[in-house]
Amino acid sequence: MKVHSTEQEERAYLDQILRKLEWALQQVDKSARQFSKEFRQNEEYLYDQRSGMDDADRVSAGQSFKRMAFHGESNLASKRRLNKLIDSPYFGRIDFVRMGGNEPLPVYIGIHSFIDGTKETYPIYDWRAPVASMFYDFELGEAWYLTPAGEVKGTVELRRQYRIRKGKMEYMIENDVNIQDEVLQKELSQSSDDKMKNIVATIQRDQNAIVRNETSRVLIIQGVAGSGKTSIAIHRIAFLLYRFREDIAAKNTLIISPNKVFADYISNVLPELGESQIPELGMDELADELLDNKFQFQSFLQQVFAILNKKDENFIERLRFKSSSELTRQLNQYLVHLENNLFVAPSIQVGRVLVPAAFIEERFKAFQRIPLLNRIPMVITEIQSHVRSTVQRKLSGHEKTQIYKALSGALGNVSLLNLYREFYTWLGRDDLFRMNNNVLEYADVFPLIYCKMRLEEVRSYQEVKHLVIDEMQDYTPIQYAVLARLFSCKKTILGDASQTINTYGSSTAEEIEKIFPHADVVKLFRSYRSTYEITRFTQRISPNPDLVAVERHGPEPEVKEFQQREQEEEEIKHLVNRFRNSSHRTLGIICKTLSQAKTLAEILNSKDVSLLTPESTSFREGVVITTIPLAKGLEFDEVIVPFASADYYQTDLDKSLLYIACTRAMHQLTLTFTKERSRFLV
């Protein structure tokens, strides 16, 4: 079998592969047409025979239609995969010689697998296949990969990488040390667009270990800004869906995402990898579901903006306490107190039968696995059974009513909200609970849900077999306590403690590990998003001695000073026009507050300018004006951080916000301010 050695031979082989892919696509189209014809014929036949069909015939017809629908969906999926392969059949190749063998096996690696069964064509291996792992894990020399049957050892004798777009080979790179550095540089230099891209061609060795991790029940990924942690987590889901396709489907996974814009931004990755989009849920939506839509509450972003807009020390004190692990400890003690004291068992006289309080209390405690407020109906049933067996007859309606009335008031006039409110009375800190116009503060939402789980019940999420939690640093211990009880499945938890937007409730990997003590923690220190110059600039705002910047160079960040606000706004207009005349596709103007963002949107009023607000659901190319909390997780070719003055950026929270804003930039960063710059811009 001829092994393609030269670039000319590789290009000829690519043409051969493309012809085979086109032929395969034609066969799928032919099959689809035939299927469509048969489907119509069956429909017509069943319509004509409908009057003479019995139940068995209808069941058989229904099953037939289900089989045909499955066949049609399979055809459609095959067509999508083939179209993607025709655009870019593969991105890598290794030649592997098994131990004890002589002939090298060329392993071409693509986003999907393909084999036509002929000796002239090597199969294209899906990037998730066991043999493809060597492309990411080894250089030339000794190598191995794991299969269900065990370890396969050998040597890698050649490594190549290609960029193929629209069926044309743009380049081929061969390197005997690390092929991916040069390709990575090329990929990172590309402009961003309105969707996160897949990174299968440039996954690094440490990232690959995370993606292919099959054993961790809980995996916590602490990654610096630009380390690709979200992308890695999504690729990990794609790998697990491939590896365990018999046990888990896309519908069995769930991602907790920070907002709808971010969810839209990452929505393209899994479909690009041949998997269905996975369900997504925000923490606010989850809270609404768990509370049965019965409570009005402040959203997380409203809480963040409240912190930014007002210096209310009482509000900060409430927030600080409810964001601490101390809250969970005290709440557990209070719930034990309720368990022991809330229910006061009465003695009940039913006709000639006295049901003693001790018996009733013993039956109440026997249901300790049942939420506290849900036990009364079960105790009533137990008492009725006890009385019935004593009198040896059925109970009258009056007797049943007697038992019901005596027990229904035994817990007092309680409600979930009142019991939660009384927690602070029990603490001797009534001042820690505030409701404005019957609206709960966000910091109270998950403590209330935690109480509901213990006192009543919440819906089950047993269908979720893998949970992804992004922006882990913005969730509090009580929120993790709720998630731990709700989801017993495997979890991937990721974030960066340096990018918190709530310094009063930030969680580090170490703190989350206390809630999931058997978790595995991995840390990513290499940053890929920004140029070396931008990364060096952001490190002066929030230093991290462990961070390693990719050596990709660009212009130095600019910090521009003005004496009048009007001058600053004119410069922002100029910078927007400069972007419009560049090759870049996305410009983020990232403000601290929503009022700043709205003001700039009015000043720059144009069709190519979009304003992202908490109500936004999608992200698009062009000029995007938004706030720092909404920009988290996004990236832009260029970023402008306006109004970076001493007045606006002065606290520890402001420092974190400024760092987040600047680290959104891939290629160019500009900050503007009027009069006095923030002390963080040294």
Side-chain angles (χ1 to χ4, degrees):
M1 185 180 292
K2 180 178 173 58
V3 176
H4 311 294
S5 301
T6 67
E7 183 171 339
Q8 183 179 357
E9 289 173 338
E10 285 279 21
R11 290 184 182 277
Y13 180 67
L14 173 61
D15 291 339
Q16 179 186 344
I17 283 287
L18 289 171
R19 287 194 297 272
K20 291 181 180 296
L21 287 166
E22 291 283 3
W23 184 85
L25 182 61
Q26 290 170 13
Q27 299 310 301
V28 170
D29 281 338
K30 182 179 177 181
S31 174
R33 287 193 298 271
Q34 181 63 29
F35 158 77
S36 180
K37 179 181 177 182
E38 291 175 1
F39 190 85
R40 285 196 303 273
Q41 288 173 343
N42 279 357
E43 274 190 316
E44 291 168 3
Y45 173 79
L46 290 172
Y47 183 80
D48 292 339
Q49 301 297 319
R50 66 189 184 282
S51 59
M53 294 176 69
D54 58 19
D55 289 345
D57 291 333
R58 291 188 181 90
V59 170
S60 177
Q63 291 173 340
S64 176
F65 272 109
K66 283 182 180 178
R67 285 193 297 272
M68 295 183 78
F70 177 79
H71 179 71
E73 290 173 5
S74 178
N75 257 356
L76 190 60
S78 295
K79 187 171 181 178
R80 281 197 296 262
R81 286 195 296 269
L82 286 167
N83 276 319
K84 285 187 178 296
L85 288 174
I86 288 169
D87 179 68
S88 181
Y90 44 82
F91 55 81
R93 167 186 168 183
I94 57 173
D95 285 5
F96 180 66
V97 180
R98 290 182 65 146
M99 184 178 290
N102 296 316
E103 291 293 321
L105 169 70
V107 178
Y108 284 87
I109 301 161
I111 203 165
H112 302 301
S113 59
F114 174 74
I115 184 169
D116 74 343
T118 64
K119 292 183 178 180
E120 300 83 35
T121 307
Y122 310 116
I124 299 171
Y125 290 88
D126 190 296
W127 65 278
R128 298 167 289 187
V131 70
S133 66
M134 293 187 294
F135 175 76
Y136 302 105
D137 289 340
F138 295 102
E139 299 162 4
L140 298 188
E142 292 185 4
W144 54 269
Y145 64 96
L146 288 174
T147 72
E151 187 178 83
V152 178
K153 294 183 178 181
T155 57
V156 172
E157 296 195 345
L158 178 142
R159 297 179 79 243
R160 281 181 181 161
Q161 193 151 356
Y162 318 85
R163 182 181 174 93
I164 302 171
R165 293 291 182 271
K166 297 182 179 178
K168 301 295 182 184
M169 187 183 294
E170 296 179 5
Y171 60 73
M172 179 184 92
I173 296 174
E174 186 167 338
N175 193 304
D176 61 356
V177 181
N178 192 345
I179 226 174
Q180 287 159 300
D181 278 350
E182 189 172 347
V183 173
L184 182 62
Q185 290 285 351
K186 290 177 180 289
E187 293 299 317
L188 293 177
S189 298
Q190 300 292 314
S191 289
S192 68
D193 53 28
D194 60 351
K195 292 287 188 290
M196 180 181 281
K197 302 170 184 174
N198 79 71
I199 59 168
V200 292
T202 56
I203 293 173
Q204 303 297 289
R205 187 176 301 175
D206 57 343
Q207 297 173 332
N208 190 49
I210 298 171
V211 168
R212 294 175 188 266
N213 181 317
E214 301 177 14
T215 57
S216 296
R217 276 206 65 79
V218 179
L219 184 63
I220 300 173
I221 307 169
Q222 161 65 46
V224 298
S227 58
K229 50 193 173 291
T230 300
S231 187
I232 293 166
I234 297 173
H235 283 70
R236 180 168 191 243
I237 291 298
F239 172 78
L240 294 173
L241 292 174
Y242 173 90
R243 174 69 178 84
F244 301 104
R245 60 177 68 253
E246 300 300 322
D247 303 314
I248 184 172
K251 65 181 180 181
N252 302 127
T253 62
L254 177 67
I255 182 167
I256 303 289
S257 64
N259 55 66
K260 291 297 181 186
V261 172
F262 179 75
D264 175 66
Y265 179 63
I266 65 174
S267 64
N268 203 45
V269 179
L270 277 170
E272 268 194 11
L273 298 173
E275 302 293 346
S276 300
Q277 184 54 266
I278 64 175
E280 166 272 332
L281 201 61
M283 283 296 258
D284 294 4
E285 292 175 288
L286 178 65
D288 234 359
E289 283 187 11
L290 297 174
L291 293 172
D292 305 316
N293 302 300
K294 292 179 179 177
F295 296 90
Q296 284 185 290
F297 57 83
Q298 179 188 46
S299 71
F300 173 65
L301 285 176
Q302 286 171 338
Q303 175 185 273
V304 172
F305 290 129
I307 296 169
L308 296 177
N309 293 332
K310 63 182 181 181
K311 305 300 180 186
D312 182 340
E313 289 303 320
N314 292 326
F315 171 63
I316 298 302
E317 185 180 2
R318 295 194 297 274
L319 182 58
R320 186 176 278 119
F321 174 72
K322 292 166 190 176
S323 300
S324 69
S325 55
E326 179 66 10
L327 169 73
T328 311
R329 189 182 70 80
Q330 297 270 27
L331 207 47
N332 282 330
Q333 289 182 358
Y334 173 66
L335 290 166
V336 170
H337 165 77
L338 291 182
E339 177 77 30
N340 294 328
N341 298 283
L342 183 63
F343 178 72
V344 180
S347 294
I348 304 176
Q349 187 74 44
V350 184
R352 296 193 304 273
V353 179
L354 175 67
V355 183
F359 172 82
I360 296 174
E361 185 170 348
E362 184 271 329
R363 298 320 302 150
F364 185 85
K365 290 183 176 178
F367 293 110
Q368 60 182 341
R369 293 185 177 274
I370 305 299
L372 192 65
L373 300 184
N374 291 351
R375 296 181 201 172
I376 292 298
M378 297 178 178
V379 175
I380 289 173
T381 300
E382 290 276 307
I383 294 171
Q384 288 177 348
S385 176
H386 172 74
V387 174
R388 189 165 53 246
S389 64
T390 302
V391 298
Q392 295 293 306
R393 61 174 173 78
K394 289 184 178 181
L395 301 187
S396 67
H398 174 70
E399 289 169 326
K400 290 179 181 179
T401 301
Q402 267 188 295
I403 296 170
Y404 175 79
K405 285 183 176 179
L407 265 294
S408 60
L411 287 177
N413 185 24
V414 299
S415 71
L416 176 66
L417 183 59
N418 283 339
L419 286 175
Y420 175 63
R421 191 197 309 265
E422 286 175 16
F423 163 61
Y424 295 99
T425 302
W426 178 80
L427 277 181
R429 292 297 307 272
D430 287 318
D431 58 303
L432 289 176
F433 182 81
R434 288 287 178 273
M435 282 186 77
N436 297 311
N437 299 319
N438 292 320
V439 177
L440 283 166
E441 292 183 340
Y442 184 75
D444 286 306
V445 173
F446 281 86
L448 180 65
I449 291 170
Y450 189 77
C451 289
K452 187 176 193 293
M453 297 174 80
R454 299 279 296 272
L455 297 173
E456 296 179 354
E457 60 184 10
V458 296
R459 63 153 290 188
S460 169
Y461 288 86
Q462 294 301 313
E463 74 279 8
V464 177
K465 296 183 179 179
H466 199 105
L467 179 71
V468 179
I469 304 171
D470 205 350
E471 301 295 347
M472 68 182 189
Q473 69 279 359
D474 290 331
Y475 305 129
T476 62
I478 195 69
Q479 288 178 298
Y480 281 110
V482 167
L483 292 173
R485 282 176 169 266
L486 276 182
F487 300 97
S488 58
C489 60
K490 292 186 175 182
K491 301 173 183 68
T492 302
I493 304 172
L494 57 139
D496 177 16
S498 299
Q499 297 186 67
T500 181
I501 54 176
N502 175 12
T503 53
Y504 307 108
S506 178
S507 294
T508 64
E510 289 72 23
E511 288 164 339
I512 297 168
E513 196 177 2
K514 293 175 184 175
I515 299 164
F516 303 102
H518 301 297
D520 293 318
V521 179
V522 293
K523 297 190 177 183
L524 299 172
F525 297 113
R526 193 167 173 82
S527 180
Y528 301 96
R529 176 186 297 132
S530 306
T531 62
Y532 181 83
E533 288 75 15
I534 293 173
T535 302
R536 185 173 58 186
F537 179 87
T538 59
Q539 282 295 285
R540 293 199 293 270
I541 299 173
S542 182
N544 181 347
D546 295 317
L547 185 144
V548 178
V550 168
E551 287 279 345
R552 179 174 66 84
H553 293 281
E556 288 284 350
E558 298 178 284
V559 180
K560 299 194 170 189
E561 177 182 355
F562 302 92
Q563 293 306 310
Q564 300 293 331
R565 177 71 171 260
E566 292 76 13
Q567 295 173 323
E568 184 176 357
E569 291 168 354
E570 282 301 313
E571 177 61 18
I572 292 169
K573 289 181 184 177
H574 167 73
L575 293 170
V576 169
N577 286 328
R578 184 183 72 179
F579 160 76
R580 289 176 175 138
N581 294 319
S582 73
S583 60
H584 291 157
R585 298 165 67 179
T586 55
L587 166 65
I589 304 177
I590 305 177
C591 304
K592 179 182 173 183
T593 66
L594 192 56
S595 61
Q596 289 176 347
K598 288 179 177 178
T599 298
L600 279 180
E602 291 175 5
I603 292 171
L604 297 173
N605 186 23
S606 176
K607 289 182 179 179
D608 69 337
V609 175
S610 58
L611 173 66
L612 293 186
T613 69
E615 291 73 39
S616 299
T617 58
S618 62
F619 178 68
R620 72 176 197 183
E621 291 183 11
V623 181
V624 175
I625 304 174
T626 189
T627 57
I628 296 167
L630 284 169
K632 289 186 69 177
L634 306 180
E635 60 185 25
F636 303 87
D637 292 325
E638 298 183 29
V639 163
I640 300 170
V641 182
F643 319 127
S645 65
D647 290 342
Y648 285 117
Y649 292 95
Q650 51 183 291
T651 67
D652 286 343
L653 174 58
D654 295 336
K655 177 182 176 181
S656 177
L657 294 173
L658 189 60
Y659 176 76
I660 293 167
C662 293
T663 54
R664 302 306 94 202
M666 295 174 63
H667 309 301
Q668 192 146 17
L669 172 65
T670 308
L671 297 94
T672 63
F673 69 94
T674 297
K675 292 186 178 177
E676 184 182 355
R677 72 174 65 197
S678 166
R679 63 190 176 92
F680 304 123
L681 299 178
V682 294

